[in-house]
């Protein structure tokens, strides 16, 4: 029973001393806390000390209130237990704030756990060698690992060797304070060994102490996008019918060969081929037969040159070939070999006129010190090809700059 009730208790619970004294203490206890209350009373009766606790009480107005309680045993002069004193403090506001904080933390972790993109925490100081501090489920799934299996793994073990230096440099920018965040693309290694192209965004998270700087890293799988980009690039750089490269990459390859030739003193040649009688096949047997013929010729020409050489389809029935590390004699031999290959194919196809074709080949040589551009070389080879065609077809002609200058 309540034996004393001070003004603070009256203010806290709403009961006057007259209303509270003589009443059981359980009048302040909500039903779900009765068992807890009875257990504490049992401790008091047994003379056992009661640890401070946080519980719930009900005011006179019916409001539930979170309270912190401290209880002390009371004894008379003979040491006999006569009761207990209870000091209660309203902690409702603090409990609400703690609950809100726990709820926010729960939402935060739930958001990370259920995030559709890969998220991990990454140390940026050199001492930790970029081992993943914390990994969330989508990140583990993206790389085919479990969360526990991926946590603590060195970043270098998860990235393609070709991208190690670039990824270290980007994270170094973040660690060095060169920006609040970095974004780049890189290749990660899946648990089964295949490459996962990823867009990686890192942001400085905190500097909890002087020992460690941490970044939060978002990783998005862009493998499908990369495959689509590669396919589009392939279509842009290759002839759809034959699969050979087209004029643009051929010109780039030729420009690179000219630079290397100038640096190392190496010579080479460009061959320009135009099929003889192709218009007759197209007009007589139709475009399907013409396409079939172009595909077959592309295969024959590709098989007759070195793997180091480059062949391109640059027009309807026009092909260009780049021969590197090649002098005048070698270039003529290659041209003759191509002509011979087509002649032999004609013999193999018997009396079928749709399959009979020859070629006129123009040859333009380049040396380390002639200063020619790729376009100039192709034009020279094209001019030489027309000379071969005007001389009766099925032959090759070498561009002679001296003759041209005299003309």
């Amino acid at each position: 029973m309540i034996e004393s009730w001070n003004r603070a208790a009256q203010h806290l619970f709403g009961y006057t001393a007259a209303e509270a004294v003589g009443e059981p203490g359980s009048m302040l206890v909500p039903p779900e806390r009765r068992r807890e209350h009875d257990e504490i009373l049992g401790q008091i009766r047994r003379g056992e000390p009661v640890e401070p606790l946080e519980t719930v009480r009900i005011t006179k107005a019916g409001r539930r209130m979170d309270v912190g309680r401290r209880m002390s045993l009371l004894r008379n002069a003979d040491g006999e237990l006569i009761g207990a004193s209870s000091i209660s403090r309203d902690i409702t506001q603090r409990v609400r704030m703690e609950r809100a904080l726990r709820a926010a933390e729960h939402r935060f972790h739930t958001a990370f756990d259920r995030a559709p993109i890969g998220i991990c925490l990454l140390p940026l100081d050199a001492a930790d060698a970029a081992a993943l501090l914390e990994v969330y489920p989508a990140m583990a799934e993206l790389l085919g690992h479990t969360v526990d299996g991926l946590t603590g793994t060195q970043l270098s073990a998860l990235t393609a060797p070709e991208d190690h230096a670039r990824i270290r440099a980007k994270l170094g920018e973040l660690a060095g304070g060169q920006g609040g965040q970095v974004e780049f693309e890189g290749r990660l290694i899946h648990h089964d060994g295949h490459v996962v192209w990823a867009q990686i965004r890192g942001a400085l998270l905190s500097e909890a102490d002087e020992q460690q700087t941490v970044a939060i890293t978002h990783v998005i799988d862009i493998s499908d996008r990369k495959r689509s980009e590669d396919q589009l690039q392939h279509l842009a750089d290759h002839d759809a019918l034959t699969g050979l490269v087209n004029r643009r990459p051929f010109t780039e390859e030729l420009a690179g060969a000219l630079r290397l030739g100038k640096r190392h003193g190496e010579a080479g040649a460009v061959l320009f081929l135009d099929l003889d009688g192709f218009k007759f096949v197209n007009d007589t047997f139709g475009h399907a037969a013409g396409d079939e013929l172009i595909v077959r010729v592309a295969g024959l020409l590709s098989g007759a040159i070195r793997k180091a050489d480059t062949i391109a389809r640059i027009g309807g029935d026009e092909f260009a070939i780049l021969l590197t590390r090649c002098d005048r004699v070698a270039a003529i031999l290659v041209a003759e070999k191509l002509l011979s290959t087509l002649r032999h194919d004609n013999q193999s196809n018997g009396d079928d006129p749709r399959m009979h074709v020859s070629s006129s080949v123009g040859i333009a040589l380049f040396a380390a010190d002639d200063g020619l551009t790729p376009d100039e070389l192709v034009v020279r080879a094209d001019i030489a090809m027309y000379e071969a065609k005007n001389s009766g077809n099925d032959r090759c002609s070498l561009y002679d700059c001296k003759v041209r200058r005299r003309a």
Side-chain angles (χ1 to χ4, degrees), residues 6 8-9 12-13 52-53 55 67-72 84-90:
N6 66 3
L12 191 65
F13 295 108
L53 78 154
T55 187
V67 298
R69 297 188 68 196
R70 289 180 177 274
M71 303 194 71
S72 302
S85 66
S86 173
I87 299 176
S88 298
R89 180 167 54 90
D90 185 357

Side-chain angles (χ1 to χ4, degrees), residues 279-302:
K279 186 176 185 302
F280 170 80
V281 174
N282 239 4
D283 293 345
T284 305
F285 302 104
H287 290 287
D291 288 347
E292 183 183 352
L293 179 59
I294 290 293
V295 171
R296 195 179 84 255
V297 168
L300 292 170
L301 297 178
S302 298

Side-chain angles (χ1 to χ4, degrees), residues 103-123:
E105 290 176 345
H106 177 72
R107 287 194 298 271
F108 176 82
H109 286 289
T110 299
F112 274 64
D113 286 340
R114 297 180 182 179
I117 62 174
I119 301 176
C120 66
L121 300 185
L122 193 66

